[in-house]
Amino acid sequence: MLHIRLLGPVEIIGGQGRSDKLSAILRRLFAVLVLRAGDGVRTEELVEELWTQEPPARVENALHAHVARLRKYLDAWEPEGPGRDRLTATPGGYALAVVPDEVDVLRFKELRRQAYDPSRDPAEAIALLERGLRLWRGPALLDAAEGPICAASASVLMDLRLLAVTHLYELRLGRGEHATLIPDLQELATAHPLEEALQDLLMLALYRSGRQAQALAVYDRLRHRLAERLGIVPGPGIQSRVQAILAQSTEFHDPDQRFVRR
């Protein structure tokens, strides 16, 4: 079985631990085939993905040559496995077969799906999200996100990661970990200054820790940024949080309260 890693630099490790550094164009070819595993990718899409500038004169011949090279790598990675049968020609393109457990992207999505099950015990959901987030080694498709398919997929995956991180901290705040989470939430809120959900979590953690003025300052910074950059005001959810803090509501002192709007 291969270990296919796209959550960070593209990396492929064979069943016997063999790993080779692919050229930039082969990384992009492999990544887009993995992202479309089972469905296949049309030749014209592959050309656009691999040659973002001017394609070579005999572009289909060049594409076939790169596919042949990738097949050789697959044979080397899986000398006793599926090898060449993984990468097949389809009408108008190519397709790659993968097993979900081989691909970190698919494992992350499955762990996230399980964690979001409303019947899941919070402690189990936290463990599932932490497992999923440990699969990340950097920005998605770090060295292969030049073409349109990989670039769009990388953006979506980064959004999913941020949602998973936000949900993880929501669950941990629900268990009363507000004091210990403040440094991490401050770092995240700084990295994502327009993400209302993260600012909301930071406000709650600060308020629960007796730092009301700092919690309100988080809202003021968010309000100014949204006005300056997007010309909008904060949403009703975070505004209601501010009103509750100003009223010194006891509702949000209860760690068992549901406090983040999905």
Side-chain angles (χ1 to χ4, degrees):
M1 184 175 77
L2 293 180
H3 298 282
I4 299 169
R5 301 176 178 179
L6 305 184
L7 300 177
V10 174
E11 185 177 32
I12 312 99
I13 301 174
Q16 297 180 343
R18 174 168 180 163
S19 175
D20 293 289
K21 182 69 172 177
L22 294 177
S23 65
I25 199 165
L26 285 187
R27 283 198 303 272
R28 296 200 297 274
L29 174 61
F30 186 75
V32 72
L33 288 168
V34 172
L35 291 169
R36 293 276 191 87
D39 296 330
V41 190
R42 299 193 312 274
T43 296
E44 55 267 31
E45 290 181 300
L46 288 170
V47 169
E48 188 177 6
E49 195 74 19
L50 301 186
W51 291 280
T52 55
Q53 303 298 322
E54 188 69 24
R58 297 185 176 182
V59 67
E60 289 199 10
N61 290 342
L63 176 60
H64 296 332
H66 290 306
V67 169
R69 292 188 188 97
L70 184 55
R71 282 200 180 107
K72 289 182 180 179
Y73 276 114
L74 290 170
D75 278 344
W77 286 323
E78 298 183 290
E80 299 177 0
R84 299 177 71 87
D85 295 336
R86 281 184 176 269
L87 179 51
T88 57
T90 63
Y94 294 93
L96 183 73
V98 301
V99 177
D101 283 349
E102 295 176 326
V103 185
D104 59 358
V105 169
L106 299 179
R107 288 164 57 203
F108 168 71
K109 288 181 177 180
E110 175 59 20
L111 289 166
R112 182 176 175 271
R113 184 195 65 78
Q114 293 179 27
Y116 273 70
D117 183 344
S119 65
R120 180 79 57 184
D121 177 78
E124 293 178 356
I126 288 171
L128 288 166
L129 288 170
E130 289 177 338
R131 281 176 56 196
L133 291 168
R134 281 197 295 270
L135 296 172
W136 288 75
R137 298 166 293 112
L141 298 159
L142 177 61
D143 52 1
E146 296 180 23
I149 295 175
C150 285
S153 296
S155 178
V156 169
L157 287 168
M158 294 300 289
D159 286 344
L160 289 178
R161 183 185 185 279
L162 183 59
L163 288 171
V165 169
T166 303
H167 189 48
L168 172 63
Y169 282 102
E170 173 189 355
L171 291 169
R172 291 183 62 186
L173 280 173
R175 290 163 61 87
E177 300 181 37
H178 42 275
T180 58
L181 292 181
I182 287 175
D184 288 344
L185 285 171
Q186 287 174 325
E187 183 177 348
L188 281 168
T190 300
H192 304 279
L194 302 181
E195 288 292 332
E196 290 191 26
L198 285 175
Q199 310 301 321
D200 192 28
L201 291 177
L202 177 56
M203 288 171 61
L204 180 66
L206 290 166
Y207 178 57
R208 282 188 177 168
S209 301
R211 298 159 68 174
Q212 177 176 324
Q214 293 181 46
L216 294 173
V218 170
Y219 176 78
D220 285 338
R221 286 193 297 271
L222 173 65
R223 180 168 55 84
H224 287 302
R225 290 188 186 113
L226 289 175
E228 290 175 359
R229 301 186 191 182
L230 303 177
I232 61 175
V233 298
I238 200 166
Q239 289 189 40
S240 67
R241 172 84 73 213
V242 171
Q243 295 305 314
I245 291 174
L246 289 171
Q248 297 190 353
S249 171
T250 59
E251 175 186 0
F252 299 121
H253 282 300
D254 182 358
D256 294 327
Q257 287 286 336
R258 290 282 179 178
F259 50 84
V260 172
R261 291 143 301 280
R262 288 179 172 71

